């Protein structure tokens, strides 16, 4: 194809210049979306489509009705997609008017089939400022919009890790700096990172974008107050990031943002901070091992019955509260739900009927919803009066307050019930959307179409009788319209008033003046009927838009109710207890259990354990015991229960007292980082340094086997020093699991330090793990017994016991080897000498020798 000869390709190139350079353009051409040139070559590889050429131009395409699946594959590959649609019906001899209707990116997906129902799909913007970083995050599918300032790269990474965005937007020119340092910290990014106009992130431009969007004179109400003598905006990263993000979505991606009507400001001091290592080690959302989704805390405590409730639960687990009043408010609802099963079940049954209205209304507002979405909205609205009535006079004030936020919309529900067909198709322009009796004009057109079909059936019967051809059929296709089809064997009986239209291999098609006249009436009625149905549907979809804020606020109240009722059900099911929350320095758990492990199938019953940590009297616990005995499980269990308590959830224990924490740190397990060229020991030291640089007396620190990745003396020295620093300088509440038995001496040397160990029972060369944490230290690791359980060969175990005995008795030679090892070398040397002497006359074959 040549641009000089083909106006359509001139149009293509013009539209291609309008979109971001990295976006693939899907160009609507009849019933297909086509890609050309480089897009076609890449698309054929990504999508396994056949690459063809037309006049030297590479091209490949997909049917428009199957485009969603292909688009999902492109987005998954980290590319953006521009959709170019035909804006008018084709006319002979003219180029169809086409426009870019939307640009799709991983962070702007609306199609429910490409989204995880219980996970937000955030698109995030980052704005570096002199005193840190501004971050804004928006879920286009729900309208949730957040922004906040983060003082360090570490705080920024924590925020991004908590959000798990699908896409991150930065100002032009900042990508490389952020990608190589602040964002990734050397690791591979897991989201699409794109650049946008730098000027849109400037404080003045960002403030204008935000005020224009929210239609406000200032941003004071959002916590982004203006300052300075002339009212210039305060230069905060949150302001810049939020404005830049809205500009990117509305201008570059051409998205409607009318459903985004509020902006919430993050305050880091309001939440219990969990860094990336803690989120990973505690398996809050993602399992440590692939395929272990049931081993996460999220899976263990999720009893939600709505998709939106599941998304809110995920947010709560990643950002536990530090607000005592907020925690106790949630606890009050959970306490009621735990003890009122019948009422709770009735509320949950109603909630189960509520569809994902928060995402549904976002699709409707952005013009992408179909008739089935309206049916789902109607079904959901029908549950609201009963839910509101059930909570109107509730004895729990917090639950009653949530009930007051539920706003039934009976007029809208009744409208959809009256207007929409019971089972409408997904396609909007083929009819079948509107219920009979809703619109008189539509009923008339449908009646005309029905009468036309009856006339056609009568015509077929009459023509069969007139011609004597019983196989004669009246048929229809989009090319020829209605026609009469007669098989080749019966062509001799065709009447003279038939006009031949088409010849096939085994039949011929004919028309008559009577048939052509009726065709225009039938097709006209059908076309007008479908067009009117589509127009009526557009009006019905628009009817929901004025209720946007009401529906969103109702949805969010329902999601909160859903999470808390689910936690009540969990507390009853698993015998969880309400933690006593306070602002002190005490952490007590009696007969505590791990919420994940106790729900998994196991060969042995889970053994509950106690813990007591108190800033002044017992802030450092040194925990010793053999591998596999349960040390790691125990210390993680304490951290997980503290986290749940700060979320407002009950915990698996007989009694729990939890003083408010500011952060939870974990240093658990050992693994190297090949992508960053870091050894196991270096990863361990990085995580330990992060703890020591950020922990306070309000923090809970969980350490497992510090110093194992280096020599024994180096490791012991580091572990000892770390424990001292945590105890005397930071005064953080710390559980320190170790195989360095020398650390038990710290209980004698440091204040507020106690020794505990995991009890085992010895039986000859075997041990039994009792899983019980008891006071006191231990000087045995039982490594050989554990190796036996792992299946090491008997000769290896026997040799290990010999060496262990020599080491314990201090029997080392001048080279530092156990003397037994030296003796074995001498024995092997003697065997070699005997072989050389060939004393037994076997030609050097010593297979039967000593």
């Amino acid at each position: 194809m040549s641009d000089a000869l083909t106006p359509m390709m001139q149009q293509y190139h013009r539209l291609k210049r309008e979109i971001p350079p990295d976006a693939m353009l899907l160009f609507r051409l009849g019933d297909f979306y086509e890609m050309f040139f480089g897009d076609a070559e890449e698309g054929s590889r990504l999508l396994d489509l056949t690459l063809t050429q037309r006049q030297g131009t590479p091209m490949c395409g997909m049917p428009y009705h199957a485009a969603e699946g292909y688009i999902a594959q492109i987005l998954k590959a980290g590319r953006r997609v521009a959709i170019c649609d035909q804006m008018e019906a084709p006319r002979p001899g003219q180029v169809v008017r086409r426009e870019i209707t939307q640009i799709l990116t991983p962070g702007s997906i609306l199609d429910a089939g490409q989204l995880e129902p219980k996970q937000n799909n955030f698109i995030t913007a980052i704005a570096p400022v002199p005193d840190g970083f501004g971050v804004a995050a928006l879920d286009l599918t729900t309208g949730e919009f957040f922004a906040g300032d983060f003082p360090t790269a570490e705080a920024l990474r924590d925020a991004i890790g908590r959000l798990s965005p699908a896409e991150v937007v930065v100002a032009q020119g900042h990508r490389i700096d952020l990608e190589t340092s602040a964002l990734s910290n050397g690791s591979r990014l897991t989201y699409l990172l794109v650049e946008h106009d730098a000027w849109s992130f400037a404080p003045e431009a960002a403030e204008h974008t935000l005020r224009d969007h929210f239609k406000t004179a200032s941003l004071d109400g959002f916590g982004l107050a203006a300052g300075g003598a002339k009212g210039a905006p305060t230069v905060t990263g949150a302001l810049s990031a939020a404005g830049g993000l809205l500009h990117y979505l509305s201008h570059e991606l051409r998205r409607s943002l009318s459903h985004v009507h509020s902006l919430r400001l993050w305050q880091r001091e309001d939440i219990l901070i969990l860094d990336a290592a803690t989120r990973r080690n505690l398996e809050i959302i993602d399992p440590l091992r692939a395929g272990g989704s049931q081993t996460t805390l999220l899976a263990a405590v999720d009893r939600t019955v709505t998709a939106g409730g599941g998304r809110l639960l995920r947010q709560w687990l990643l950002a536990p509260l530090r607000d005592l009043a907020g925690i106790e408010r949630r606890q009050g609802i959970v306490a009621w739900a735990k003890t009122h099963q019948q009422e709770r079940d009735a509320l949950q049954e109603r909630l189960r009927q509520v569809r994902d209205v928060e995402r549904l209304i976002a699709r409707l507002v952005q013009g992408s919803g179909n008739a089935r979405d309206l049916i789902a909205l109607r079904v959901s609205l029908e549950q609201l009066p009963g839910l509101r009535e059930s909570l109107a006079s509730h004895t729990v004030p917090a639950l009653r307050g949530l009930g007051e936020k539920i706003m039934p919309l009976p007029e809208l529900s009744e409208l959809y019930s009256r207007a929409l067909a019971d089972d409408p198709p997904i396609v909007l322009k083929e009819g079948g959307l509107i219920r009979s009796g809703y619109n008189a004009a539509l009923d008339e057109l449908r009646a005309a179409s029905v009468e036309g079909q009856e006339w056609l059936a009568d015509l077929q019967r009459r023509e069969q009788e007139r011609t004597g051809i019983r196989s004669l059929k009246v048929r229809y296709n989009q090319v020829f319209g209605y026609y009469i089809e007669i098989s080749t064997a019966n062509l001799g009986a065709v009447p003279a008033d038939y006009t031949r239209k088409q010849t096939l291999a085994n039949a011929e098609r004919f028309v008559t003046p009577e048939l052509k006249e009726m065709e225009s009436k039938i097709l006209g009625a059908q076309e007008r009927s479908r067009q009117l149905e589509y127009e009526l549907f557009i009006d019905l979809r628009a009817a929901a838009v004025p209720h946007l804020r009401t529906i969103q606020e109702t949805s969010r109240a329902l999601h909160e109710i859903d999470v808390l009722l689910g936690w009540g059900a969990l507390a009853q099911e698993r015998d969880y207890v309400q933690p006593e929350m306070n602002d002190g320095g005490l952490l007590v758990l009696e007969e505590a259990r791990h919420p994940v492990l106790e729900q998994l199938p196991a060969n042995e019953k889970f053994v509950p354990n106690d813990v007591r940590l108190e800033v002044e009297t017992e802030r450092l616990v040194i925990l010793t015991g053999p591998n596999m005995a349960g040390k790691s499980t125990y210390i993680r269990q304490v951290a997980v229960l503290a986290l749940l308590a700060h979320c407002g959830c009950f915990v698996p224990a007989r009694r729990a007292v939890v003083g408010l924490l500011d952060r939870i740190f974990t240093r658990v397990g050992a693994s190297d980082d090949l992508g960053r060229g870091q050894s196991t020991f270096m990863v361990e030291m990085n995580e330990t340094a992060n703890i020591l640089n950020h922990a306070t007396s309000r923090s809970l620190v969980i350490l497992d086997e510090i110093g194992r990745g280096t020599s024994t003396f180096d490791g012991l020295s580091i572990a000892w020093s770390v424990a001292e620093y945590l105890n005397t300088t930071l005064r953080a509440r710390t559980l320190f699991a170790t195989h360095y038995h020398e650390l038990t001496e710290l209980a004698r040397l440091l204040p507020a330090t106690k020794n505990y160990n995991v009890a085992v029972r010895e039986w000859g060369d075997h041990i039994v793990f009792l899983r019980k944490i008891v006071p006191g230290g231990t000087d045995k690791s039982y490594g050989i017994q554990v190796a036996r359980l792992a299946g090491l060969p008997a000769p290896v175990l026997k040799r290990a016991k010999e060496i262990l005995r020599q080491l314990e008795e201090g029997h080392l030679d001048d080279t530092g080897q156990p003397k037994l090892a030296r003796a074995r070398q001498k024995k092997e040397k003697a065997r070699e000498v005997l072989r050389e002497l060939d004393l037994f006359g076997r030609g050097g074959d010593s297979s039967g020798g000593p």
Side-chain angles (χ1 to χ4, degrees):
M1 291 184 183
S2 170
D3 286 1
L5 300 176
T6 311
M8 187 190 76
M9 291 309 295
Q10 293 179 6
Q11 181 188 57
Y12 170 84
H13 285 298
R14 176 179 59 80
L15 292 168
K16 183 70 173 172
R17 288 191 294 270
E18 291 182 10
I19 65 174
D22 66 327
M24 298 177 70
L25 179 59
L26 300 190
F27 189 82
R28 182 71 180 267
L29 197 58
D31 288 339
F32 282 79
Y33 279 116
E34 297 287 354
M35 290 177 282
F36 298 101
F37 303 105
D39 287 349
E41 293 170 350
E42 184 173 4
S44 69
R45 290 192 301 270
L46 282 177
L47 308 175
D48 197 24
L49 295 173
T50 301
L51 182 67
T52 62
Q53 287 200 356
R54 184 181 299 173
Q55 298 181 10
T57 299
M59 60 184 296
C60 69
M62 65 197 74
Y64 81 95
H65 56 78
E68 285 184 354
Y70 290 107
I71 291 170
Q73 292 183 58
I74 297 173
L75 296 176
K76 190 174 182 180
R79 295 296 306 274
R80 296 190 281 182
V81 180
I83 306 296
C84 171
D85 282 314
Q86 296 179 172
M87 308 309 291
E88 60 184 5
R91 289 174 291 178
Q94 296 187 29
V95 176
V96 176
R97 182 169 63 88
R98 295 179 175 87
E99 293 180 4
I100 304 296
T101 53
Q102 57 182 326
I103 297 177
L104 299 172
T105 69
S108 62
I109 298 170
L110 292 177
D111 176 28
Q114 298 182 44
L115 297 165
E116 289 292 332
K118 290 190 173 185
Q119 182 175 345
N120 284 98
N121 191 57
F122 283 117
I123 181 169
T124 302
I126 300 173
V129 290
D131 55 351
F133 303 89
V135 176
L138 193 154
D139 186 341
L140 204 61
T141 70
T142 65
E144 295 168 279
F145 191 19
F146 308 92
D149 285 298
F150 298 87
T152 65
E154 181 260 344
L156 170 65
R157 287 192 294 272
D158 285 347
I160 296 299
R162 191 165 65 245
L163 291 165
S164 297
E167 184 174 356
V168 171
V169 186
V170 298
Q172 198 81 31
H174 284 202
R175 172 174 179 157
I176 295 177
D177 291 342
L178 286 168
E179 189 172 18
T180 57
S181 57
L183 273 179
S184 68
N185 198 26
S187 300
R188 186 176 64 86
L189 300 182
T190 58
Y191 41 76
L192 177 66
L193 182 62
V194 298
E195 292 184 320
H196 185 55
D197 298 332
W199 65 264
S200 69
F201 286 82
E204 295 81 4
E207 184 193 24
H208 175 77
T209 299
L210 291 167
R211 286 195 291 106
D212 182 63
H213 174 77
F214 291 118
K215 304 295 187 290
T216 58
S218 78
L219 300 176
D220 294 15
F222 300 106
L224 298 171
K230 297 183 179 180
T234 303
V235 182
T236 66
L239 173 73
S240 297
L245 180 56
L246 283 192
H247 191 273
Y248 171 74
L249 287 166
S250 58
H251 288 73
E252 186 158 319
L253 301 193
R254 311 176 191 211
R255 290 309 183 96
S256 167
L257 300 174
S258 58
H259 64 304
V260 181
H261 57 74
S262 66
L263 171 62
R264 288 170 49 195
L265 195 63
W266 275 315
Q267 302 287 350
R268 268 170 61 90
E269 58 269 22
D270 292 341
I271 65 170
L272 173 64
I273 298 172
L274 309 169
D275 63 15
T278 297
R279 294 193 299 269
R280 180 183 67 251
N281 292 331
L282 298 184
E283 298 184 87
I284 298 172
I285 302 297
D286 300 310
L288 287 172
R289 294 173 180 81
S293 61
Q294 294 307 305
T295 66
T296 66
L297 180 62
L298 175 63
V301 301
D302 186 0
R303 297 295 186 274
T304 58
V305 297
T306 68
R311 292 193 295 272
L312 182 62
L313 170 60
R314 185 186 183 99
Q315 291 179 22
W316 282 4
L317 290 178
L318 291 172
L321 296 177
R322 284 179 60 195
D323 169 37
L324 198 58
I327 294 171
E328 290 174 345
R329 173 184 168 278
R330 292 180 184 176
Q331 286 183 336
I333 298 176
V334 176
W336 175 86
K338 177 184 178 182
T339 56
H340 294 77
Q341 180 178 352
Q342 186 172 353
E343 296 95 323
R344 182 193 73 219
D345 289 349
L347 289 170
Q348 286 185 308
E349 187 55 39
R350 286 191 180 276
L351 286 172
R352 281 189 181 89
Q353 308 307 313
V354 177
R355 308 299 191 263
D356 196 349
V357 175
E358 189 177 35
R359 281 184 166 169
L360 190 154
I361 191 65
R363 290 198 297 274
L364 298 181
V365 168
Q366 297 182 74
S368 64
N370 56 43
R372 292 185 184 180
D373 287 329
L374 298 188
I375 294 289
L377 178 57
R378 187 206 77 206
V379 170
S380 302
L381 293 176
E382 288 172 350
Q383 308 306 315
L384 301 186
L387 284 165
R388 183 180 172 89
E389 182 180 354
S390 298
L391 301 175
S393 57
H394 207 280
T395 56
V396 179
L399 199 48
R400 186 169 64 250
L402 288 172
E404 291 170 355
K405 295 179 181 180
I406 298 173
M407 301 302 293
L409 297 169
E411 298 85 359
L412 188 62
S413 175
E414 189 276 334
L415 171 64
Y416 289 161
S417 180
R418 184 164 44 89
L420 294 166
D422 290 331
D423 187 21
I426 295 177
V427 179
L428 299 180
K429 295 187 176 181
E430 299 299 324
L433 305 174
I434 306 299
R435 187 184 297 276
S436 297
Y438 174 68
N439 183 275
L442 177 62
D443 290 344
E444 290 179 7
L445 290 171
R446 284 175 168 171
S449 179
V450 170
E451 290 173 1
Q453 296 299 320
E454 291 174 351
W455 184 89
L456 290 171
D458 183 64
L459 173 67
Q460 178 175 294
R461 180 185 55 76
R462 285 189 284 110
E463 290 304 302
Q464 286 176 345
E465 292 176 355
R466 180 163 79 99
T467 62
I469 304 172
R470 306 308 301 172
S471 61
L472 179 150
K473 300 293 182 184
V474 177
R475 301 184 186 278
Y476 171 82
N477 67 33
Q478 289 185 331
V479 177
F480 296 110
Y482 288 102
Y483 54 85
I484 298 171
E485 185 170 287
I486 296 176
S487 63
T488 302
N490 293 303
L491 291 179
V494 172
D497 59 344
Y498 278 25
T499 300
R500 182 179 286 104
K501 192 71 174 179
Q502 186 183 23
T503 300
L504 304 177
N506 298 310
E508 292 196 10
R509 293 170 175 174
F510 301 86
V511 295
T512 67
E514 182 184 27
L515 179 58
K516 295 305 293 181
E517 179 182 355
M518 196 64 185
E519 177 186 82
S520 63
K521 296 179 181 179
I522 295 172
L523 295 182
Q526 290 177 340
E527 180 61 29
R528 291 196 301 275
S529 172
R530 290 171 181 167
Q531 181 60 33
L532 180 56
E533 274 203 77
Y534 179 70
E535 292 171 358
L536 292 171
F537 168 76
I538 295 300
D539 290 342
L540 290 169
R541 187 168 67 186
V545 175
H547 304 289
L548 167 68
R549 295 191 66 161
T550 298
I551 293 172
Q552 286 180 325
E553 290 167 5
T554 295
S555 296
R556 287 161 191 171
L558 295 177
H559 299 162
E560 191 166 345
I561 293 169
D562 185 21
V563 175
L564 297 172
L565 292 183
W567 277 351
L570 173 68
Q572 181 188 31
E573 170 195 334
R574 309 300 305 187
D575 194 25
Y576 284 16
V577 68
Q578 179 175 342
E580 303 169 32
M581 304 296 296
N582 58 60
D583 201 30
L586 182 63
L587 173 59
V588 173
L589 299 171
E590 296 179 1
E591 296 184 18
R593 314 180 307 275
H594 196 296
V596 177
L597 296 184
E598 76 164 352
Q599 295 187 38
L600 296 177
N603 295 325
E604 57 182 294
K605 184 178 179 181
F606 192 89
V607 178
N609 273 296
D610 301 344
V611 69
R612 178 184 176 86
L613 291 170
E614 203 278 324
V615 173
E616 298 300 330
T617 62
E618 196 169 344
R619 58 179 174 266
L620 174 60
V621 167
I622 303 297
L623 180 64
T624 51
N627 286 312
M628 293 179 58
K631 297 191 305 297
S632 295
T633 296
Y634 172 73
I635 62 176
R636 291 188 215 204
Q637 169 182 305
V638 173
V640 166
L641 267 59
L643 184 157
L644 287 179
H646 281 75
C647 290
C649 184
F650 287 15
V651 298
R654 185 177 65 82
R655 176 173 174 260
V657 180
V658 181
L660 289 179
L661 303 169
D662 62 357
R663 301 184 66 142
I664 295 176
F665 293 98
T666 63
R667 158 87 280 283
V668 177
S671 62
D672 54 13
D673 190 336
L674 297 178
R676 294 165 59 190
Q678 293 187 350
S679 67
T680 296
F681 181 65
M682 190 61 183
V683 171
E684 179 182 309
M685 289 300 99
N686 281 337
E687 293 182 0
T688 304
N690 178 58
I691 295 172
L692 299 182
N693 288 323
H694 294 96
T696 72
S697 61
R698 284 279 189 180
S699 302
L700 174 64
V701 179
I702 303 299
L703 296 174
D704 190 12
E705 308 294 2
I706 291 291
R708 286 194 304 178
T710 187
S711 70
T712 300
F713 288 154
D714 281 355
L716 173 58
S717 301
I718 292 171
W720 188 295
S721 180
V722 167
E724 282 185 340
Y725 191 80
L726 286 165
N727 178 284
T728 59
T729 302
L730 300 178
R731 294 169 59 84
R733 281 163 280 183
T734 304
L735 291 172
F736 199 133
T738 183
H739 283 286
Y740 293 134
H741 301 132
E742 294 85 348
L743 292 183
T744 58
E745 286 295 303
L746 290 171
R748 185 174 58 83
L749 301 173
L750 297 180
T753 301
K754 297 289 178 69
N755 287 322
Y756 287 86
N757 72 90
V758 188
V760 298
R761 179 173 296 164
E762 295 185 69
W763 188 265
D765 286 339
H766 299 272
I767 56 171
V768 177
F769 299 123
L770 301 182
R771 313 296 186 191
K772 200 68 180 174
I773 308 300
V774 297
T778 181
D779 59 358
K780 298 182 68 175
S781 289
Y782 300 97
I784 294 176
Q785 289 89 336
V786 172
R788 184 190 305 278
L789 293 175
L792 264 66
V796 173
L797 295 171
K798 180 180 178 182
R799 174 65 175 151
K801 289 174 66 176
E802 293 171 352
I803 295 173
L804 176 61
R805 186 170 61 254
Q806 293 288 334
L807 290 171
E808 289 177 339
E809 294 173 357
H811 289 182
L812 303 177
D813 64 15
D814 293 339
T815 67
Q817 286 187 314
K819 292 179 180 178
L820 196 59
R822 181 102 176 165
R824 173 166 288 199
Q825 291 173 359
K826 291 181 178 178
K827 186 175 181 180
E828 291 297 331
K829 183 66 176 176
R831 285 184 176 178
E832 292 176 14
V833 171
L834 289 174
R835 291 191 193 100
E836 292 174 1
L837 292 174
D838 197 14
L839 297 177
F840 303 100
R842 288 194 289 266
D845 181 1
S846 59
S847 59

